[in-house]
Amino acid sequence: MGRLQNKVTIVTGGARGMGAATARLFAAEGAKVVIADLLDADGAALAAEIGDSARFVRHDVTDETSWQQLIGTAESSFGAIDVLVNNAGILMFKTIAETARAEFQRVLDVNLVGCFLGTKLVGARMTERGRGSIVNISSVDGMKAANGLSAYNASKWAVRGFTKAAAMEFGHKGVRVNSVHPGGIDTAMGNPYAEAKAEVNKRYGMVPMQRVGEPVEVAYTSLFLASDESSYLCGAEIAVDGGMLCGQYYVGFPGAPGV
């Protein structure tokens, strides 16, 4: 049997990138997957690719009514929800001085408020049943900072803290809440110009593994947290970053290749 056999899962931002990799992997491991996204064509194509164990639902993570409709479709299609992956997110490169309040708020609404609404509404269903797993996709930028990413940093640090508060409130009710912190991943967000992998990797010389990450590598971490294999993890944070958070890797220092 698969690691998520017959578990009903919602993946937000599931139409492409890390979300799509997660949907494919979860379905391959036996899950019933609801792909939630605003990208209609990509989402429908992915659901058709996966087959009968997947549904696509157009969904705005910032809208509470949309969440209620998503939950209703998931339950009517497959049954009670076992897993929620709050993956939907947006990125904005602007200095603080250049960022308008509305732009800052939009990043918070998608990355943080969307996570809050999903955790609250789906979590309520899970706590009624006394079991479930919620995986919140934060970022390495929820553990450090970067110039030009103030709104994104703020949102992802907040997701990290929110996850721990949710773990404390839901853990004793049988629902585990954990966070995943990807580093640079080869997605439309991380590689918007679709550069060749070799070119992208040139920018990762300061990362111990010396390369960009793959979406499925994040998906496998979410799979572990969604499965019963992680039954005693609650409030944990797992970095999937090639060692980025260890510190900067200096070529020519002891331990570097050829030294």
Coordinates of all heavy atoms in Angstrom, one line a residue, residues 36-74:
A36 N -6.0 22.8 -5.6 CA -6.7 24.1 -5.5 C -5.8 25.2 -6.0 O -4.7 25.3 -5.6 CB -7.0 24.3 -4.0
D37 N -6.3 26.0 -6.9 CA -5.5 27.0 -7.6 C -6.4 28.0 -8.4 O -7.5 27.6 -8.7 CB -4.4 26.4 -8.5 CG -3.2 27.2 -8.6 OD1 -3.3 28.4 -8.9 OD2 -2.1 26.6 -8.4
L38 N -5.8 29.1 -8.8 CA -6.5 30.0 -9.7 C -6.1 29.8 -11.1 O -6.6 30.4 -12.0 CB -6.2 31.5 -9.3 CG -6.8 31.9 -7.9 CD1 -6.3 33.3 -7.6 CD2 -8.3 32.0 -8.0
L39 N -5.1 28.9 -11.3 CA -4.6 28.6 -12.7 C -5.5 27.5 -13.3 O -5.2 26.3 -13.2 CB -3.2 28.2 -12.7 CG -2.2 29.3 -12.1 CD1 -0.8 28.7 -12.0 CD2 -2.2 30.6 -12.9
D40 N -6.6 27.9 -13.9 CA -7.6 26.9 -14.4 C -7.0 25.9 -15.4 O -7.2 24.7 -15.2 CB -8.7 27.6 -15.1 CG -9.5 28.5 -14.1 OD1 -9.7 28.1 -12.9 OD2 -10.0 29.6 -14.5
A41 N -6.3 26.3 -16.4 CA -5.9 25.4 -17.4 C -4.8 24.4 -16.9 O -4.9 23.2 -17.1 CB -5.3 26.2 -18.6
D42 N -3.9 25.0 -16.1 CA -2.8 24.1 -15.5 C -3.4 23.1 -14.5 O -3.1 21.9 -14.5 CB -1.8 25.0 -14.8 CG -0.9 25.7 -15.8 OD1 -0.9 25.4 -17.0 OD2 -0.3 26.7 -15.4
G43 N -4.4 23.6 -13.7 CA -5.0 22.7 -12.7 C -5.8 21.6 -13.3 O -5.7 20.5 -12.9
A44 N -6.6 22.0 -14.3 CA -7.4 21.0 -15.0 C -6.6 20.0 -15.7 O -6.9 18.8 -15.7 CB -8.4 21.7 -15.9
A45 N -5.5 20.4 -16.3 CA -4.6 19.5 -17.0 C -3.9 18.5 -16.1 O -3.8 17.3 -16.4 CB -3.6 20.3 -17.8
L46 N -3.5 19.0 -14.9 CA -2.9 18.2 -13.9 C -3.8 17.1 -13.4 O -3.5 16.0 -13.2 CB -2.3 19.0 -12.8 CG -1.6 18.2 -11.7 CD1 -0.4 17.4 -12.2 CD2 -1.1 19.2 -10.6
A47 N -5.1 17.6 -13.1 CA -6.1 16.6 -12.6 C -6.4 15.5 -13.6 O -6.5 14.3 -13.3 CB -7.4 17.4 -12.2
A48 N -6.4 15.9 -14.9 CA -6.7 14.9 -15.9 C -5.5 14.0 -16.1 O -5.7 12.8 -16.3 CB -6.9 15.6 -17.3
E49 N -4.3 14.5 -15.9 CA -3.1 13.6 -15.9 C -3.1 12.6 -14.8 O -2.8 11.4 -15.0 CB -1.8 14.5 -15.8 CG -0.5 13.8 -15.7 CD 0.6 14.7 -15.2 OE1 0.7 15.9 -15.6 OE2 1.4 14.2 -14.4
I50 N -3.4 13.1 -13.6 CA -3.4 12.1 -12.5 C -4.5 11.1 -12.6 O -4.4 9.9 -12.2 CB -3.5 12.9 -11.2 CG1 -2.2 13.8 -11.0 CG2 -3.7 12.0 -10.0 CD1 -2.3 14.7 -9.8
G51 N -5.7 11.5 -13.0 CA -6.8 10.6 -13.2 C -7.9 10.7 -12.1 O -8.1 11.8 -11.5
D52 N -8.6 9.6 -11.9 CA -9.8 9.6 -11.0 C -9.5 10.0 -9.6 O -10.4 10.3 -8.8 CB -10.4 8.2 -11.0 CG -11.0 7.9 -12.4 OD1 -11.3 8.9 -13.2 OD2 -11.3 6.7 -12.7
S53 N -8.2 9.9 -9.1 CA -7.9 10.2 -7.7 C -7.6 11.6 -7.5 O -7.2 12.0 -6.4 CB -6.7 9.3 -7.3 OG -5.6 9.6 -8.1
A54 N -7.9 12.5 -8.5 CA -7.6 13.9 -8.4 C -8.8 14.7 -8.9 O -9.6 14.3 -9.8 CB -6.4 14.3 -9.2
R55 N -9.0 15.9 -8.3 CA -10.0 16.9 -8.7 C -9.3 18.2 -8.7 O -8.5 18.5 -7.8 CB -11.2 16.9 -7.8 CG -12.0 15.7 -7.6 CD -12.9 15.5 -8.8 NE -13.8 14.4 -8.6 CZ -13.4 13.1 -8.8 NH1 -12.2 12.8 -9.2 NH2 -14.3 12.1 -8.6
F56 N -9.7 19.1 -9.7 CA -9.2 20.5 -9.7 C -10.4 21.4 -9.2 O -11.5 21.2 -9.7 CB -8.7 20.9 -11.0 CG -8.5 22.4 -11.1 CD1 -7.5 23.0 -10.3 CD2 -9.3 23.2 -11.8 CE1 -7.3 24.4 -10.4 CE2 -9.2 24.6 -11.9 CZ -8.1 25.2 -11.1
V57 N -10.1 22.3 -8.3 CA -11.1 23.3 -7.8 C -10.4 24.7 -7.9 O -9.4 24.9 -7.4 CB -11.5 23.0 -6.4 CG1 -12.5 24.1 -5.9 CG2 -12.1 21.6 -6.3
R58 N -11.1 25.6 -8.6 CA -10.6 26.9 -8.7 C -10.8 27.5 -7.3 O -11.9 27.5 -6.7 CB -11.4 27.7 -9.7 CG -11.0 29.2 -9.8 CD -11.7 29.9 -10.9 NE -11.4 31.4 -10.9 CZ -10.3 31.9 -11.4 NH1 -9.4 31.1 -12.0 NH2 -10.1 33.2 -11.4
H59 N -9.8 28.1 -6.8 CA -9.8 28.5 -5.3 C -8.9 29.7 -5.1 O -7.8 29.8 -5.5 CB -9.3 27.3 -4.5 CG -9.2 27.6 -3.0 ND1 -10.2 28.1 -2.3 CD2 -8.1 27.5 -2.2 CE1 -9.8 28.3 -1.0 NE2 -8.5 27.9 -1.0
D60 N -9.5 30.7 -4.3 CA -8.8 31.8 -3.9 C -8.5 31.7 -2.4 O -9.4 31.7 -1.6 CB -9.6 33.1 -4.1 CG -8.9 34.4 -3.7 OD1 -7.8 34.3 -3.1 OD2 -9.5 35.5 -3.9
V61 N -7.2 31.5 -2.0 CA -6.9 31.2 -0.6 C -7.2 32.4 0.3 O -7.3 32.2 1.5 CB -5.4 30.8 -0.4 CG1 -5.1 29.5 -1.2 CG2 -4.5 31.9 -0.9
T62 N -7.4 33.6 -0.2 CA -7.6 34.7 0.6 C -9.1 34.9 0.9 O -9.5 35.8 1.7 CB -7.1 36.0 -0.1 OG1 -8.0 36.3 -1.2 CG2 -5.7 35.9 -0.5
D63 N -10.0 34.1 0.3 CA -11.4 34.2 0.5 C -12.0 33.1 1.3 O -11.9 31.9 0.9 CB -12.1 34.3 -0.9 CG -13.5 34.5 -0.9 OD1 -14.0 35.7 -0.6 OD2 -14.3 33.5 -1.1
E64 N -12.7 33.4 2.4 CA -13.2 32.4 3.3 C -14.4 31.6 2.6 O -14.5 30.4 2.8 CB -13.8 33.1 4.6 CG -14.1 32.1 5.6 CD -14.2 32.7 7.0 OE1 -13.8 33.9 7.2 OE2 -14.7 32.0 7.9
T65 N -15.2 32.3 1.8 CA -16.2 31.5 1.1 C -15.6 30.5 0.1 O -16.1 29.4 0.0 CB -17.1 32.5 0.3 OG1 -17.7 33.4 1.3 CG2 -18.2 31.8 -0.4
S66 N -14.6 30.9 -0.5 CA -13.9 30.0 -1.4 C -13.4 28.8 -0.7 O -13.4 27.6 -1.2 CB -12.7 30.7 -2.1 OG -12.2 29.9 -3.1
W67 N -12.9 29.0 0.5 CA -12.4 27.9 1.4 C -13.6 26.9 1.7 O -13.4 25.7 1.6 CB -11.8 28.4 2.6 CG -10.3 28.6 2.5 CD1 -9.7 29.9 2.4 CD2 -9.3 27.7 2.4 NE1 -8.3 29.7 2.3 CE2 -8.0 28.4 2.3 CE3 -9.2 26.3 2.5 CZ2 -6.8 27.7 2.2 CZ3 -8.0 25.6 2.4 CH2 -6.8 26.3 2.2
Q68 N -14.7 27.5 2.1 CA -15.9 26.7 2.4 C -16.3 25.8 1.2 O -16.7 24.6 1.3 CB -17.0 27.5 2.9 CG -16.8 28.3 4.1 CD -16.8 27.5 5.4 OE1 -16.8 26.2 5.3 NE2 -16.7 28.1 6.6
Q69 N -16.3 26.4 0.0 CA -16.7 25.7 -1.2 C -15.6 24.6 -1.5 O -16.0 23.5 -1.9 CB -16.8 26.7 -2.4 CG -17.9 27.6 -2.2 CD -17.9 28.8 -3.2 OE1 -16.9 29.0 -3.9 NE2 -19.0 29.5 -3.4
L70 N -14.4 24.9 -1.3 CA -13.3 23.9 -1.5 C -13.5 22.7 -0.6 O -13.4 21.6 -1.0 CB -11.9 24.6 -1.3 CG -10.7 23.6 -1.4 CD1 -10.6 23.0 -2.7 CD2 -9.5 24.4 -1.0
I71 N -13.7 23.0 0.7 CA -13.9 21.9 1.6 C -15.1 21.1 1.2 O -15.1 19.8 1.3 CB -14.1 22.5 3.0 CG1 -12.8 23.1 3.5 CG2 -14.6 21.4 4.0 CD1 -12.9 24.0 4.8
G72 N -16.2 21.7 0.8 CA -17.4 21.0 0.4 C -17.2 20.1 -0.8 O -17.6 18.9 -0.8
T73 N -16.4 20.6 -1.8 CA -16.1 19.8 -2.9 C -15.2 18.6 -2.6 O -15.4 17.5 -3.1 CB -15.4 20.6 -4.0 OG1 -16.3 21.7 -4.4 CG2 -15.1 19.8 -5.2
A74 N -14.2 18.8 -1.7 CA -13.3 17.7 -1.3 C -14.1 16.6 -0.6 O -13.9 15.4 -0.9 CB -12.2 18.3 -0.4

